[in-house]
Structure formats: C-alpha cells, structure tokens
Amino acid sequence: MGVVFLLLLIFHYTGILKPIENAVRKSFVPLLSSLHGFSIKIGDNFEFFKNKEEFFNAYSKCTLENQNNNLLSEKIKLLTDENNELKMQLKYVQSKEIKHLLGDVIGKEIISTDQNIIINRGSIDGIKIDHPAIVGEGILVGKVIKVNENTSVIRLLNDNQSRISAGVLNQDKSQGVVEGGFGISLRMNLIPRDEIIVVGDQVMTSGLETSIPRGLLIGSIAVIENEPYKPFQQAILTPGVDLAKLSIVTILLTN
Amino acid sequence: MYQIIRLLFFTLGTIFAVFFLHAWVNYFFFYPINQINITILFLLWFIVYKDDLKFLWIALPISIIMDLFSSLPFGVTSASVLLMLMTLRALYMVIFTNFSWYGTALLGFLSIFLFKLFCFLITWIGHIFHYGGAISFSNIYSWITEGVINSIVLLTIYLLSRLFSKKNKYQHVF
C-alpha cells in the first residue's frame, strides 16, 4: 500500500498521472457544479423575516440605501469626467487595462472547514497563484491559492487564513489588514487608534500587494472596536457581496 | 473475469455514491450538519464493522479523489486519511479492544482530529522544505466540533446496526 501510494505521488509530481487526473476531475465536475448551483438556488429561499416589522424595516433600509446609491453614482460620474479631463490636460499616460477571465464556480472545499471555492479555469487559461478574484464591477471575493490544469481553488476573504492589505475610504486614509474569521466574518485589524473611522466607511484594497490592484471593494465597516488598552483598533466588516452565493467570478490576470 | 468487472463497477459506483453524498451534505445543509464527513465515516465503518485490511484499497482511490479537489498540495489529504485509518485501526484493535459503543464514539471523534492533525503536520514538514502554502493551527476549535458531530453520527449508525444486524463479526459490548 505504501509503495503504491509513493508511486502515485511520484507519477503525479512528474506529470505522468496528469491525463488521468484531468479525466477524473472532468467526470466529477458536472456532479459538483450541479450540486453547488442547486444549493445556491435553494439557499436563496432561506431569507426569512421574523415578523412584519422586520420586513418593513428592511424595506425602508433598502429604499434609503438605493436613494443614497443613486446620489453617489451621480457624484462618481461627475468626478470621473473631471478626472479624465484633468488627466488629458496633464497628458497622463494610461496604464494598460488588466486582463481578466470569467470562471464558473463548480464547487467548494468539502474536505475541510476552509472557505475555498473551485472554479473551472486553470493554468491552461493563464491563471496563477495569488491572482485576485472579483465579482461585479470590482468587489474582491478572494484570491487563487492553487492552480491545476483546468481548475483552480480560490480562498475566500472570510476564510481563517485569508489576509488582505486594505485601506478605509475616510479622511485619514487608514490602512490595515482584513482577515477572515471561520467563514463568518471579516475583520480589519491594525488600524491606528488615533485615526477616525465610522460605521459605513467603505474598505478597499490598498494596492500594497503586488498581485492585487488598488481600489477593489472589500466591504463596509459595520462595527468598530476601539479599546483604550490596545495599540490598534479593529473593525468588523460587512462584505460587499454574499460570499456563500457565488456562481460566477472574474479572475484578474495581474502580473 | 466477470467477477472482476463486477467488483470494479461496484467499487467505482460506491466511490461515486460516497463522494456525491459527501458533497450533498456539505452543500445543502447548514452548520453543524454540513460538518459531517461522509467519506471518513464510510471508511471508519470498515474498521468498526469488518476487520479487513482490504478497506485501505478502497480508501486509497477515495482519498486521491479528495486530493484532486483539495486546496492542499497533492498527497497531503490522501496521506493524512491513510495514516489516520491505520492509526485508528491499530487503536481500535489493540487499545479499545472491547469494541464498545464508547470506543466507537471515541473512534469517530479521533478520526477527524487525527486527520486534521496529520494534514497540519505534513504541511508543516513541507514548509520546512519551503514547499506548500500557509498553515494554520487556529482552527482547533472547529476540529473539536467536527469531531464531536462525526462521533455522534458514527455512534448512531453503530447503535442502529446493533439493533438490526445479526452479522457482527465481533461480540460488541454495549
């Protein structure tokens, strides 16, 4: 048994087993992806409200957030036009657009309690370790930690081992590190105590990591923990997107 | 020849069924039910019910398939599963020799704990040789809860089998 196992390991790392591994993965992928898709569809029906009052509160909150978002999008549009104008006037050299790749989520980690998802893109598509994964217009959900020929594993932000360098969109431009917590929460640590952050401030990637560009939304501050005996303050974040319901992600093929 | 083909189909079908059930439980159920590790419980059942080392030959392809979909380097998950099974079999046969219900419950708990521990140790050794990704020991609380849940499920299966089956290989002590 030991000899067989060692032979399998040697064949894997020399690449002899690759066709068989790819064939096995391809045979299991439809099963996993259909299960995963079905579980997301069923999961969407679990959003219940306890009573009428809670429903109306949630509705009012949504309406208010929608109004604020509309105002913000108008402001962003004005600022973007102004920024483009200024760049043109300064003859600013535009950096190349980052190449990206869409991938379907075919499953998630089932062996351990890690918050990892598996997508149907791999090294053959140009994906490498540490490439960021986003959804929508730029909401960071995780980064690639393992690449196979046709599949990749992405560690989500709320995984216990996830660490992302981030910055708060406040006056002080506070910097910190966003860490995941057992698949439940996002926590931003190492925020200097003398800098002011408020609930609702948005948290973006800081660009200090070579593979993750600046400006990707991580989430917004929900709770602030500022103890006088601690040298840094902490914040609990609401993620920009529900990390349990991902079906399509975009991988940024950064250098 | 026919018997070999039949055995092969039966084995492949079993592997698919176990993997499907494991993924189904993991994807569809909420915490803590999604912590039930069907593959490990299936393999443990061979230790509890049928003392036959041939089950390791079924454990090998199952653990290799688990490795193909794992975020850990190839070989870590399968080595951990095989080491865990051999350790538990030795414990069950040599130390928990009365094959009691509490021995079975402890087996269920230790299976998850040992599996995670072996994964951690092998990854840590890989780290010494600058190979492998990040390692974390901070999940120990989740190891314990997962172990307790799987222990309860294994014990339930064991007690049900005592009720309905007369084919026990050992005189299990209640």
Side-chain angles (χ1 to χ4, degrees):
Chain A
M1 164 67 61
V3 171
V4 169
F5 181 69
L6 276 170
L7 279 172
L8 281 170
L9 276 183
I10 291 166
F11 289 155
H12 168 82
Y13 285 107
T14 50
I16 296 169
L17 268 187
K18 218 180 244 181
I20 301 170
E21 285 171 12
N22 290 338
V24 170
R25 276 200 196 98
K26 274 184 185 163
S27 60
F28 278 91
V29 156
L31 169 73
L32 285 178
S33 58
S34 54
L35 273 176
H36 179 74
F38 197 48
S39 73
I40 287 179
K41 276 187 194 160
I42 289 181
D44 275 340
N45 295 328
F46 285 166
E47 299 272 9
F48 293 121
F49 297 102
K50 285 181 198 157
N51 50 40
K52 218 193 281 184
E53 200 185 313
E54 199 181 302
F55 172 71
F56 282 128
N57 287 341
Y59 176 73
S60 311
K61 198 176 159 193
C62 273
T63 317
L64 195 65
E65 274 178 16
N66 192 34
Q67 284 170 358
N68 290 339
N69 286 342
N70 287 339
L71 281 168
L72 271 173
S73 67
E74 285 302 316
K75 278 188 189 172
I76 287 168
K77 204 175 156 191
L78 285 168
L79 285 169
T80 311
D81 290 339
E82 201 180 293
N83 192 28
N84 286 337
E85 181 65 38
L86 286 168
K87 278 180 186 173
M88 267 171 52
Q89 289 181 12
L90 287 167
K91 290 183 186 172
Y92 182 78
V93 177
Q94 294 285 341
S95 54
K96 281 186 195 167
E97 267 190 31
I98 300 171
K99 286 184 190 164
H100 56 274
L101 188 67
L102 277 173
D104 291 321
V105 176
I106 56 171
K108 54 182 185 177
E109 179 91 38
I110 55 175
I111 313 306
S112 66
T113 48
D114 292 343
Q115 301 300 314
N116 300 330
I117 55 173
I118 306 167
I119 61 168
N120 61 350
R121 299 287 191 181
S123 57
I124 213 166
D125 303 295
I127 292 179
K128 291 180 188 164
I129 290 177
D130 285 342
H131 277 164
I134 65 170
V135 293
E137 293 290 318
I139 304 172
L140 184 71
V141 295
K143 58 181 181 180
V144 177
I145 57 165
K146 188 179 175 188
V147 183
N148 301 309
E149 200 170 287
N150 293 309
T151 59
S152 303
V153 180
I154 293 170
R155 175 174 287 142
L156 296 177
L157 293 179
N158 57 357
D159 182 67
N160 219 27
Q161 297 179 59
S162 170
R163 306 277 184 278
I164 303 286
S165 169
V168 184
L169 287 183
N170 60 348
Q171 211 162 10
D172 296 318
K173 303 281 183 282
S174 308
Q175 301 279 307
V177 175
V178 171
E179 300 175 358
F182 298 104
I184 302 165
S185 63
L186 288 185
R187 185 178 279 270
M188 187 169 178
N189 297 325
L190 305 176
I191 307 169
R193 273 201 67 226
D194 56 339
E195 291 177 4
I196 299 169
I197 55 171
V198 295
V199 170
D201 275 344
Q202 292 199 314
V203 177
M204 316 284 264
T205 52
S206 62
L208 291 175
E209 295 180 50
T210 50
S211 53
I212 302 181
R214 192 173 173 275
L216 298 175
L217 178 69
I218 293 174
S220 56
I221 292 177
V223 175
I224 300 168
E225 294 171 359
N226 196 350
E227 306 289 343
Y229 57 88
K230 286 186 182 171
F232 295 101
Q233 55 181 325
Q234 295 178 332
I236 297 174
L237 312 180
T238 308
V241 70
D242 188 347
L243 295 170
K245 292 178 186 170
L246 299 171
S247 51
I248 298 176
V249 296
T250 304
I251 307 297
L252 299 181
L253 304 176
T254 53
N255 288 326
Chain B
M1 185 67 184
Y2 169 72
Q3 290 233 341
I4 293 170
I5 294 170
R6 196 175 129 195
L7 183 67
L8 192 67
F9 269 108
F10 179 72
T11 310
L12 286 172
T14 310
I15 291 169
F16 256 99
V18 166
F19 207 73
F20 172 79
L21 206 57
H22 184 105
W24 179 69
V25 167
N26 196 273
Y27 289 1
F28 280 87
F29 291 98
F30 47 84
Y31 183 87
I33 298 172
N34 64 358
Q35 303 293 299
I36 298 172
N37 197 320
I38 300 288
T39 42
I40 287 181
L41 286 175
F42 171 75
L43 294 168
L44 278 181
W45 189 243
F46 284 97
I47 299 176
V48 173
Y49 196 74
K50 201 173 176 183
D51 176 27
D52 191 349
L53 275 174
K54 287 180 195 166
F55 81 95
L56 286 175
W57 291 104
I58 300 176
L60 182 63
I62 290 178
S63 56
I64 295 283
I65 292 168
M66 283 162 75
D67 240 331
L68 290 176
F69 291 100
S70 168
S71 57
L72 296 170
F74 186 86
V76 173
T77 308
S78 39
S80 305
V81 167
L82 293 172
L83 285 169
M84 176 267 293
L85 288 171
M86 288 190 285
T87 311
L88 285 177
R89 186 181 171 274
L91 277 171
Y92 201 63
M93 295 300 151
V94 175
I95 298 177
F96 309 147
T97 48
N98 58 2
F99 310 113
S100 58
W101 64 269
Y102 43 87
T104 308
L106 190 58
L107 196 80
F109 176 79
L110 283 176
S111 63
I112 299 296
F113 201 82
L114 281 176
F115 169 62
K116 303 282 189 184
L117 188 66
F118 281 127
C119 280
F120 174 77
L121 286 172
I122 294 169
T123 318
W124 179 65
I125 290 167
H127 243 265
I128 294 172
F129 296 100
H130 302 287
Y131 182 78
I135 49 174
S136 170
F137 199 57
S138 57
N139 278 347
I140 195 161
Y141 173 72
S142 68
W143 297 9
I144 293 168
T145 49
E146 209 179 321
V148 167
I149 289 155
N150 282 281
S151 165
I152 291 168
V153 173
L154 185 66
L155 183 60
T156 310
I157 297 169
Y158 168 76
L159 291 172
L160 285 171
S161 78
R162 285 279 301 154
L163 274 174
F164 296 110
S165 169
K166 292 174 187 174
K167 274 197 209 174
N168 283 352
K169 191 173 162 62
Y170 302 103
Q171 288 295 320
H172 287 255
V173 174
F174 188 77

